[in-house]
Amino acid sequence: MNKITYSISVCFSVSLQKTVEGFGGSSVVFPCRYDKQLQDLTAHWRYNDIKNVYDIQAGRGSAREQHQDYTGRTQVFSHEFVKGNFSLKVENLRLTDAGTYCCYIIDVNYQECTALSVKGMMK
Ligand SMILES: *[C@@H]1O[C@H](CO)[C@@H](O)[C@H](O)[C@H]1NC(C)=O
């Protein structure tokens, strides 16, 4: 009995994925939280594993190789990096932004994903 309970809970925690809802024209913050201090980390924010949404390189935010769909619409909070908070804000949401956003912290092989759904424009 104990064994069954254990395997179910492990399975559940692996498949668990957060979902956020946004409205067209509004903004959303995708969480990426690591509970240990990381110096000069490298992390990648990706959309559906394909598009480059944002990079953190050597501990600094960079939009240099960002996909043009996200030009001028993204922000990280560098003052929060020391707290292990690498969350990403995407502004002026479009219906086509719906999908899965993952942060990959390369140094520690950590990943955190959030599914986004976008509803019609805000009035
Ligand atoms: C991370 O930082 C953002 C921006 O300041 C904030 O909205 C968010 O609540 C923070 N997340 C955590 C887990 O502290």
Side-chain angles (χ1 to χ4, degrees):
M1 190 60 195
N2 274 339
K3 198 175 179 189
I4 292 169
T5 309
Y6 175 74
S7 59
I8 288 172
S9 66
V10 168
C11 184
F12 184 73
S13 69
V14 169
S15 60
L16 192 73
Q17 186 180 262
K18 296 175 294 276
T19 303
V20 296
E21 279 188 355
F23 286 92
S26 72
S27 64
V28 67
V29 176
F30 297 110
C32 180
R33 181 70 200 234
Y34 192 74
D35 60 11
K36 293 196 190 75
Q37 282 234 342
L38 297 174
Q39 299 280 319
D40 299 335
L41 81 159
T42 297
H44 302 308
W45 273 103
R46 295 292 180 267
Y47 168 81
N48 286 355
D49 279 338
I50 316 167
K51 287 184 195 168
N52 181 329
V53 183
Y54 207 89
D55 284 323
I56 298 169
Q57 272 156 1
R60 304 183 71 154
S62 166
R64 196 179 309 160
E65 292 177 38
Q66 177 179 65
H67 192 281
Q68 61 187 18
D69 286 358
Y70 294 95
T71 304
R73 298 200 294 136
T74 56
Q75 188 189 339
V76 290
F77 308 95
S78 31
H79 57 279
E80 295 274 341
F81 288 1
V82 289
K83 296 185 224 162
N85 181 357
F86 308 104
S87 303
L88 173 81
K89 184 178 188 181
V90 177
E91 297 171 337
N92 196 11
L93 286 177
R94 304 166 180 171
L95 294 177
T96 50
D97 288 337
T100 302
Y101 292 78
C102 296
C103 81
Y104 300 97
I105 304 179
I106 304 305
D107 315 51
V108 289
N109 204 18
Y110 174 83
Q111 113 179 39
E112 186 169 343
C113 296
T114 303
L116 171 72
S117 64
V118 183
K119 303 198 165 187
M121 300 299 281
M122 251 184 346
K123 284 274 161 73

